[in-house]
């Protein structure tokens, strides 16, 4: 095994908004290696549609954005963190403009769209494909930076900690990560003085998800195995409007469609059903409310989907605001300027994750984390739309600043043990992986979805126990592949979600259980300790 390309000052795991923001700041003075699973554009960042929330309009205030965030988060948010992120939003947008992100403008000013739960228009965007533009600008800047080495096709397996040191120092530090080079099949040790975990969410624990294929919670699982606490994993966000289509399974219809006037109808009764669920806010109620309303209509009337309709708006307006979605739907035979779009809720965002403080520090010395893999206190029990990319920018920057400010305290990594695969063989039963993937995602959807009960959660916990033995056995016998690494992490995250859900004896935000329908007076985080 070679250590050549793998020694860095700082190792960043993930090339999405959080990872690249951290890398660009760190690269002012440090040499950074960024690892990504598959392509450098494989994370959720490139898929983001709606935009980024920031107070930029004269009629809007930080206080309003803070209030909207905390109302959506059902009071579980950390007010101090909410203030920190929201007050840093305008500066984050400024940096993105400097990097060349071509945000939409109207008469020279940034155009602001509206999304559910926001009391003002405050979402900056690049048409309906904001994430792609952000990812492209960050990647271009990183590629041009001589201090940054970008390594795609590297699947991190586990963090390197004290137990991997050749001579145990007892420092308890994280020294980087072991990663499978998917192009050679070899496992490399990527050592560094500091590591930033930015590996995204765990959406693929669910059968239906808007998230990309690689959202298997690897960062959360690796950090947990290394000894970091995780929090609020039961707070899994379901987006109300994912396209219902038998061919295309996970195409999001942005919340901005409702923000710009889209209405939800029951296709059987023709009724605009949000009037029964949230008469005041209607389609612009927070996501948990709208997703539960759609779920209830679907179950009550035995529907496959509900209708999202914006065809009452002028066709030119619809095409101008939603060019990507319009074109995609036309390709599937749906003209959104003339007819409604069939939609269903789908898993969308992981609100819980690795516990971090305001400087992006985890429990483990040398390990920082930022973005969707974390629980910072910003989102609480439900994320407000378009606050997620914002969190990536603010925390990516905060983690980088803290590392740079304390650089003298970061020691050089010691000699670490090589990955030992002398006692494992090539897998002879790939079908086991496929079968277990499907099984996890199906029972998580059916038993740990939008509406929960203790009985369903216990059923899921039993399945997890059985699979745990089978998968660990398989992991111990065969050479690692990306699929096997992901399966192991998926199960680990499913376990954390179910255990957290069983611990919360109330309904709050995204966690709704028929056994405890009331909300406790005091909001408490669900913290799991390894
Ligand atoms: P990601 O962008 O997901 O990046 C994760 C990175 O980690 C990737 O590079 C991946 O390759 C890497 N990685 C993962 N596992 C490993 C491993 N084992 N080894 C090495 N590398 C690994 N939020 C908003 O604020 N506004 C929006 O409009 C919006 N729209 C969205 C639309 C969709 C369809 C989806 C799915 C999400 C949307 N979100 C939106 C949420 C937002 O996009 C994500 O929360 C955010 O992009 C997460 O960024 P990240 O940097 O934390 O992770
Ligand atoms: C969307 O465009 O509806 C997604 C926005 C988000 O997830 O914040």
């Amino acid at each position: 095994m070679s250590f050549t390309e793998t020694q860095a000052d700082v190792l960043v795991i993930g090339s999405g908004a959080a990872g690249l923001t951290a890398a660009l700041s760190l690269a002012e003075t440090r040499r950074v290696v960024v690892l990504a699973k598959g392509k450098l554009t494989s994370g959720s960042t490139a898929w983001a549609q709606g935009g980024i929330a920031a107070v930029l309009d004269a009629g809007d205030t930080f206080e309003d954005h803070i209030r909207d965030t905390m109302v959506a988060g059902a009071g579980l948010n950390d007010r101090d963190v909410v203030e920190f992120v929201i007050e840093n939003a305008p500066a984050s947008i400024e940096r993105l403009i400097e990097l060349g992100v071509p945000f939409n403008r109207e008469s020279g000013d940034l155009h602001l769209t509206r999304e559910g739960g926001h009391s003002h228009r405050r979402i900056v965007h690049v048409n309906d494909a904001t994430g792609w533009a952000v990812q492209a600008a960050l990647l271009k800047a990183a590629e041009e930076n001589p201090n940054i080495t970008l390594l795609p096709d590297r699947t991190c397996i586990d963090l390197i900690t004290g137990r991997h040191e050749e001579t145990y120092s007892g420092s308890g530090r994280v020294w980087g990560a072991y990663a499978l080079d998917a192009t050679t099949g070899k496992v490399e040790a990527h050592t560094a003085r500091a590591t930033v975990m930015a590996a995204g969410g765990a959406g693929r624990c669910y059968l239906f998800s808007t998230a990309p294929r690689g959202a298997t919670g690897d960062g959360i699982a690796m950090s947990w195995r290394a000894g970091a606490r995780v929090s609020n994993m039961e707070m899994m966000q379901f987006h109300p409007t994912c396209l219902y289509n038998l061919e295309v399974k996970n195409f999001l219809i942005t919340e901005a469609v409702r923000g710009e006037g889209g209405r939800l109808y029951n296709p059987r009764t023709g009724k605009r059903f949000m009037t029964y669920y949230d008469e005041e806010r209607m389609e612009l109620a927070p996501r948990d409310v709208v997703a539960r309303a759609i779920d209830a209509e679907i179950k009550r009337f035995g529907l496959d989907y509900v209708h999202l309709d914006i065809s009452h708006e002028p066709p030119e307006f619809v095409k101008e605001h939603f060019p990507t979605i319009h074109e995609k739907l036309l390709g599937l035979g749906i003209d959104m300027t003339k007819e409604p779009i069939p939609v269903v809720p789908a898993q969308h965002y992981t609100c819980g994750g690795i516990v971090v403080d305001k400087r992006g520090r985890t429990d483990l010395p040398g390990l920082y984390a930022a973005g969707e893999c974390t629980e910072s206190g910003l989102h609480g029990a439900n994320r407000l739309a378009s606050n997620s990319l914002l969190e990536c920018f603010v925390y990516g920057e905060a983690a980088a600043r803290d590392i740079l400010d304390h650089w003298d305290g970061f020691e050089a990594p010691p000699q670490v043990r090589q990955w030992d695969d002398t006692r494992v063989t090539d897998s002879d039963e790939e079908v086991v992986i496929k079968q277990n993937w499907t099984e996890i995602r199906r029972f998580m959807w059916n038993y740990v979805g939008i509406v929960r009960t203790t009985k369903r959660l216990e059923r899921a916990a039993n399945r997890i126990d059985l699979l745990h033995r089978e998968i660990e056995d398989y992991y111990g016998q065969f050479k690692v592949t990306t699929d096997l690494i992901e399966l192991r992490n998926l199960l680990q995250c499913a376990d954390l979600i179910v255990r957290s859900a069983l611990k919360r004896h109330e309904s709050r935000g995204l966690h709704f259980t028929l056994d405890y329908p009331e909300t406790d007076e005091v909001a408490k985080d669900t913290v799991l300790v390894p």
Side-chain angles (χ1 to χ4, degrees):
M1 182 176 50
S2 133
F3 284 86
T4 44
E5 62 180 1
T6 63
Q7 283 234 345
D9 288 337
V10 185
L11 178 70
V12 175
I13 302 173
S15 59
L20 290 182
T21 301
L24 287 167
S25 296
L26 287 160
E28 286 168 14
T29 53
R30 297 289 143 210
R31 285 178 311 115
V32 187
V33 166
V34 179
L35 305 181
K37 187 167 67 171
K39 288 188 187 159
L40 294 165
T41 51
S42 66
S44 293
T45 297
W47 291 31
Q49 292 185 353
I52 307 159
V55 173
L56 295 163
D57 181 59
D60 197 3
T61 64
F62 285 143
E63 195 47 47
D64 284 345
H65 191 181
I66 292 166
R67 195 195 50 242
D68 294 345
T69 300
M70 301 211 39
V71 168
L76 193 65
N77 328 61
D78 178 337
R79 162 122 199 163
D80 200 32
V81 167
V82 177
E83 283 174 15
F84 167 64
V85 174
I86 283 167
E87 288 171 10
N88 272 294
S92 296
I93 301 296
E94 201 47 55
R95 273 201 301 276
L96 291 170
I97 292 171
E98 280 163 21
L99 287 178
V101 179
F103 290 118
N104 287 42
R105 292 185 179 265
E106 206 171 44
S107 321
D109 293 331
L110 288 171
H111 178 264
L112 303 174
T113 191
R114 191 165 178 177
E115 291 182 332
H118 287 276
S119 56
H120 287 269
R121 283 185 169 268
R122 63 165 77 98
I123 318 295
V124 294
H125 63 109
V126 182
N127 299 322
D128 54 354
T130 310
W132 187 253
V134 167
Q135 179 79 65
L138 290 170
L139 210 45
K140 181 166 180 288
E143 278 162 354
E144 287 170 357
N145 193 312
N147 272 348
I148 298 180
T149 305
L150 296 162
L151 298 178
D153 291 318
R154 302 302 198 282
T155 308
C156 290
I157 306 166
D158 263 317
L159 290 165
I160 299 174
T161 60
R163 69 193 180 89
H164 304 106
E165 292 169 5
E166 279 289 1
T167 314
Y168 180 61
S169 70
S171 73
R173 297 191 75 84
V174 169
W175 299 115
Y178 291 108
L180 171 72
D181 179 341
T183 59
T184 63
K186 296 259 177 295
V187 176
E188 304 159 337
H190 293 262
T191 52
R193 290 178 188 235
T195 302
V196 181
M197 183 62 79
R204 284 295 172 130
C205 282
Y206 286 86
L207 190 57
F208 301 107
S209 169
T210 63
R213 161 75 177 67
T216 49
D218 299 0
I220 298 170
M222 282 188 272
S223 304
W224 168 263
R225 283 196 294 269
R229 284 173 306 154
V230 301
S231 168
N232 297 344
M233 285 296 289
E234 73 278 29
M235 298 305 177
M236 209 30 108
Q237 183 172 73
F238 293 81
H239 197 291
T241 58
C242 179
L243 175 69
Y244 174 84
N245 186 277
L246 297 181
E247 282 166 49
V248 179
K249 300 250 185 277
N250 61 349
F251 185 68
L252 179 74
I253 308 295
T254 175
E255 188 142 342
V257 170
R258 280 175 286 129
E260 296 297 340
R263 298 169 189 160
L264 288 164
Y265 292 97
N266 179 319
R268 175 93 39 89
T269 63
K271 291 255 162 56
R272 196 173 162 193
F273 58 84
M274 279 311 295
T275 130
Y276 310 124
Y277 298 92
D278 197 317
E279 205 177 357
E280 201 183 314
R281 296 174 295 184
M282 297 289 284
E283 283 85 358
L284 288 179
R287 278 188 191 164
D288 56 330
V289 177
V290 183
R292 265 199 303 277
I294 297 176
D295 186 63
E297 289 290 301
I298 286 178
K299 292 209 168 105
R300 191 159 153 236
F301 289 89
L303 308 170
D304 287 329
Y305 52 80
V306 297
H307 275 151
L308 172 62
D309 193 7
I310 194 165
S311 63
H312 49 274
E313 296 290 347
E316 282 321 309
F317 172 90
V318 174
K319 283 192 247 174
E320 192 192 322
H321 277 77
F322 308 108
T324 317
I325 296 175
H326 176 252
E327 206 181 302
K328 175 89 181 175
L329 293 181
L330 271 188
L332 296 168
I334 303 166
D335 184 348
M336 70 190 282
T337 66
K338 296 200 180 104
E339 59 191 317
I341 309 163
V343 292
V344 285
Q347 187 289 337
H348 182 61
Y349 184 81
T350 310
C351 291
I354 309 157
V355 175
V356 287
D357 69 9
K358 266 188 357 196
R359 297 196 249 155
R361 294 180 305 185
T362 70
D363 294 335
L364 307 177
L367 180 67
Y368 288 72
E372 191 169 339
C373 63
T374 67
E375 200 284 298
S376 66
L378 173 65
H379 307 306
N382 181 21
R383 174 177 69 96
L384 183 66
S386 289
N387 266 358
S388 162
L389 285 171
L390 175 58
E391 183 190 42
C392 292
F393 305 128
V394 174
Y395 271 85
E397 173 69 18
R401 273 306 130 220
D402 197 70
I403 294 170
L404 295 177
D405 289 351
H406 299 91
W407 187 249
D408 290 345
F410 289 96
E411 296 160 36
Q415 195 67 35
V416 300
R417 288 208 307 273
Q418 299 196 10
W419 187 260
D420 180 7
D421 58 7
T422 51
R423 276 169 292 180
V424 290
T425 58
D426 285 324
S427 156
D428 57 352
E429 291 264 22
E430 286 293 320
V431 66
V432 172
I433 297 181
K434 201 168 171 205
Q435 161 66 27
N436 287 342
W437 253 81
T438 314
E439 189 173 345
I440 295 169
R441 298 182 67 207
R442 201 169 277 285
F443 73 67
M444 287 299 286
W445 182 259
N446 288 330
Y447 296 159
V448 199
I450 297 173
V451 176
R452 299 163 181 177
T453 65
T454 304
K455 207 182 230 172
R456 287 183 204 159
L457 293 175
E458 283 169 353
R459 283 206 176 108
N462 289 339
R463 297 299 311 134
I464 289 169
D465 276 352
L466 287 175
L467 286 173
H468 187 75
R469 267 172 270 149
E470 191 170 314
I471 291 171
E472 280 307 311
D473 188 45
Y474 197 88
Y475 184 77
Q477 285 188 51
F478 298 112
K479 281 192 180 155
V480 286
T481 60
T482 294
D483 283 349
L484 177 55
I485 295 164
E486 290 182 329
L487 174 66
R488 184 175 177 234
N489 293 331
L490 210 62
L491 187 72
Q492 181 68 75
C493 288
D495 180 45
L496 295 170
I497 297 165
V498 172
R499 276 163 62 189
S500 303
L502 279 166
K503 273 180 92 133
R504 190 172 287 281
H505 292 174
E506 61 163 349
S507 289
R508 182 184 296 277
L510 297 163
H511 178 70
F512 184 78
T513 161
L514 296 174
D515 292 302
Y516 302 99
E518 306 298 327
T519 304
D520 290 349
E521 235 163 72
V522 182
K524 285 201 199 111
D525 290 323
T526 308
V527 182
L528 299 182
V529 183

